Amino acid sequence: CAYANNQWALAGDVAADPAESSFRKAMEVAEGTLTVLDGAVVTYQRIWCVYEIFVTLIAFADRPSKYLYDMYTINADGEGVGLIDGWAPVDLKFGEARANDLKYDRERTFPKAVG
C-alpha cells in the first residue's frame, strides 16, 4: 500500500469501499502479493494487510491467471527464507527435475512459529 496510495493525500486514494481504493486497483494489475513477517507478526494486526491477504487468497482465487502469494521472514540462523508460490529461480539451477527437491531444502528452514 505504500506505493499504491499517495501517503500525503490518503483521502483521495482510500474509498469507502476498499474494492474501489487505489490499493485494490494496484493489486488488480500486480502478479502477486508478498508478505514480510517480522518477529511480532504485526502483519496480521493491520487491517489493510489482512485485507490484502484476503483479496490474494479468496477474492482472486478464480482469476484466469494465477495470482501469486509469497511469505518471507528470518529463520533461526538469521537468514531470510521464503515460502513461495511455485519455484524460485535458484530452485531451477539444475533444471525442473531437481526443482522440487531444492525448493523443499530451501523452504524447510522457514520457522514453524514466528515471534
Side-chain angles (χ1 to χ4, degrees):
C1 75
Y3 298 110
N5 297 331
N6 180 343
Q7 300 296 306
W8 290 272
L10 285 174
D13 292 330
V14 179
D17 179 357
E20 298 299 321
S21 67
S22 59
F23 179 67
R24 172 66 179 264
K25 291 174 185 173
M27 290 182 72
E28 293 283 346
V29 297
E31 293 180 18
T33 299
L34 170 66
T35 296
V36 178
L37 298 172
D38 65 340
V41 197
V42 172
T43 296
Y44 301 118
Q45 299 170 21
R46 301 185 69 189
I47 192 64
W48 277 104
C49 295
V50 173
Y51 173 74
E52 179 181 34
I53 295 167
F54 165 80
V55 170
T56 298
L57 299 176
I58 306 300
F60 285 174
D62 296 330
R63 281 176 61 145
S65 61
K66 185 173 183 178
Y67 194 80
L68 304 173
Y69 182 55
D70 300 343
M71 288 191 307
Y72 277 81
T73 193
I74 301 296
N75 65 19
D77 297 326
E79 301 167 332
V81 61
L83 296 177
I84 67 162
D85 210 346
W87 294 321
V90 70
D91 300 332
L92 296 167
K93 70 180 176 183
F94 299 114
E96 290 185 14
R98 298 239 3 250
N100 285 333
D101 293 334
L102 293 174
K103 178 181 172 73
Y104 171 77
D105 288 343
R106 182 179 45 74
E107 291 184 349
R108 69 188 169 100
T109 65
F110 196 91
K112 292 175 181 56
V114 179

